[in-house]
Amino acid sequence: MKILKTFAAAMLLLAGATACDSDNDIDYDPVVNLTLNPNVSFTTCKNISGDGSWAIFDAPTYNFKINTSTFNVSLEAVKLTYAEGKNISFTIDNLLLTVDQKDNSWTISNRNPLVVRDTDGNDHEITGFNAYIFSSGRAPEIVRIEYTLDNAYKIRGVMKYNAFMGKTTVTTAQAGEDPYENESTVYFLILDHKARKAKILLYEAKFSQGMPRTLDMDFLSHPFSVGDDGLTIDVPERFEPMNNGVPVERYAITDLNLLLNPCRTLDGSFSCAGFEVAIDTESALAIKDSILRKMTVDMGKY
């Protein structure tokens, strides 16, 4: 009775990544051209050879040419910024495509170091390249890109839109009560890399069996920091979430702490109206149609 749509495919169509194939054409072409545009992602970069700090930059354009017959991939990266005032464009050939039939995912990787030449004629080494693509019929979606440049810079492509579902476990301070578990809440994070803030939205949140209905909650925008494990959101002070634009005093939030491993997992905890809430979620690839429509509207706001 519930209609499910693919979140990855929706992000592809709504947020700016483009793909072309000809699956239903008599003259089937096994080559898929897939582009990740800067408007849907940004770059986080660790200075491995320096002080180990992480920086945030605008994303390059990534153009993938994927041959699903030979399992060979070439990649063009246009204007990758990896340090202040430093950017390069390059092409990588002979990347390897592997397909996981269980979850319709593609992984693009290189087994050995690759030497690429930038547009100025300088050579660079790429190691540990890994891109993860969720493929749903005619709409493959890039959801993760990671690699190391010149053994000096750890590059991560981070998507601006991240949706998660999984287990929300709620306990209270009252003895004898069993924890309440909810696996239907969708956590949607919209990342603004220029302001370094995350817009946190919850759909169908419920914290106890006795709650008369679920709530859509806007946890507002909060600063995030970047580290080896991902993006951290730490908000110790009290704030009131919004529901349909109205502050919800009854469910005031304190001690919010989230760890976002982009396009993989969202873990964390917060206190809400006397409830202690723990989050253990994974990237959501299928979301109810009604929630997806709300997410589409919210994407247009921010």
Side-chain angles (χ1 to χ4, degrees):
M1 200 169 164
K2 291 182 179 179
I3 300 174
L4 296 181
K5 286 192 175 180
T6 303
F7 173 68
M11 295 301 97
L12 175 74
L13 297 174
L14 296 170
T18 56
C20 298
D21 66 22
S22 45
D23 212 15
N24 297 322
D25 199 304
I26 295 175
D27 299 320
Y28 170 65
D29 185 352
V31 175
V32 176
N33 294 300
L34 183 59
T35 296
L36 182 66
N37 294 311
N39 61 316
V40 295
S41 66
F42 58 92
T43 297
T44 61
C45 178
K46 180 179 181 179
N47 187 344
I48 302 171
S49 61
D51 60 5
S53 63
W54 284 88
I56 299 177
F57 303 106
D58 289 341
T61 298
Y62 290 105
N63 296 308
F64 287 88
K65 188 173 184 178
I66 304 168
N67 191 314
T68 59
S69 177
T70 63
F71 294 91
N72 184 268
V73 180
S74 63
L75 166 66
E76 178 190 32
V78 181
K79 201 174 180 181
L80 166 73
T81 301
Y82 59 93
E84 288 295 339
K86 295 183 179 181
N87 63 75
I88 59 172
S89 298
F90 59 86
T91 299
I92 305 176
D93 294 313
N94 299 316
L95 291 168
L96 177 67
L97 170 69
T98 56
V99 178
D100 189 337
Q101 299 290 347
K102 292 183 294 184
D103 62 359
N104 294 319
S105 67
W106 302 350
T107 299
I108 298 171
S109 60
N110 68 298
R111 293 174 175 169
N112 302 304
L114 297 171
V115 175
V116 299
R117 180 159 293 175
D118 65 23
T119 52
D120 293 326
N122 301 311
D123 289 340
H124 299 270
E125 186 177 73
I126 302 290
T127 54
F129 186 90
N130 185 280
Y132 179 85
I133 297 172
F134 181 79
S135 176
S136 175
R138 295 174 58 87
E141 159 82 2
I142 303 167
V143 295
R144 185 168 67 246
I145 297 176
E146 298 176 325
Y147 54 95
T148 299
L149 175 67
D150 293 333
N151 293 311
Y153 300 97
K154 174 70 176 178
I155 308 294
R156 288 177 180 166
V158 180
M159 304 304 120
K160 293 183 180 180
Y161 306 98
N162 296 265
F164 300 90
M165 290 180 69
K167 185 177 290 185
T168 299
T169 303
V170 185
T171 60
T172 70
Q174 298 178 18
E177 291 190 2
D178 293 329
Y180 171 75
E181 292 185 354
N182 173 12
E183 296 188 357
S184 62
T185 299
V186 175
Y187 297 83
F188 188 34
L189 274 65
I190 302 174
L191 305 177
D192 182 343
H193 70 290
K194 293 187 180 297
R196 297 202 181 195
K197 287 189 175 182
K199 183 77 174 177
I200 307 168
L201 303 165
L202 277 64
Y203 303 97
E204 297 194 357
K206 192 172 183 180
F207 303 124
S208 74
Q209 195 65 47
M211 279 182 64
R213 60 185 179 88
T214 61
L215 292 175
D216 292 343
M217 304 177 76
D218 180 347
F219 275 24
L220 312 177
S221 293
H222 298 289
F224 66 79
S225 58
V226 183
D228 291 350
D229 295 327
L231 278 59
T232 299
I233 303 165
D234 188 4
V235 188
E237 63 269 16
R238 177 186 183 276
F239 66 89
E240 294 177 4
M242 309 286 284
N243 176 247
N244 292 323
V246 178
V248 186
E249 182 178 3
R250 179 179 179 183
Y251 293 105
I253 305 297
T254 57
D255 299 320
L256 173 68
N257 188 280
L258 300 177
L259 175 61
L260 168 65
N261 189 336
C263 296
R264 293 186 182 182
T265 59
L266 178 70
D267 300 302
S269 61
F270 59 90
S271 298
C272 174
F275 301 116
E276 299 299 323
V277 182
I279 304 167
D280 182 10
T281 63
E282 296 181 350
S283 291
L285 297 176
I287 295 175
K288 284 195 307 183
D289 184 67
S290 59
I291 295 178
L292 185 58
R293 284 196 296 268
K294 295 176 184 177
M295 293 169 64
T296 304
V297 171
D298 288 330
M299 284 174 61
K301 294 179 181 177
Y302 310 106

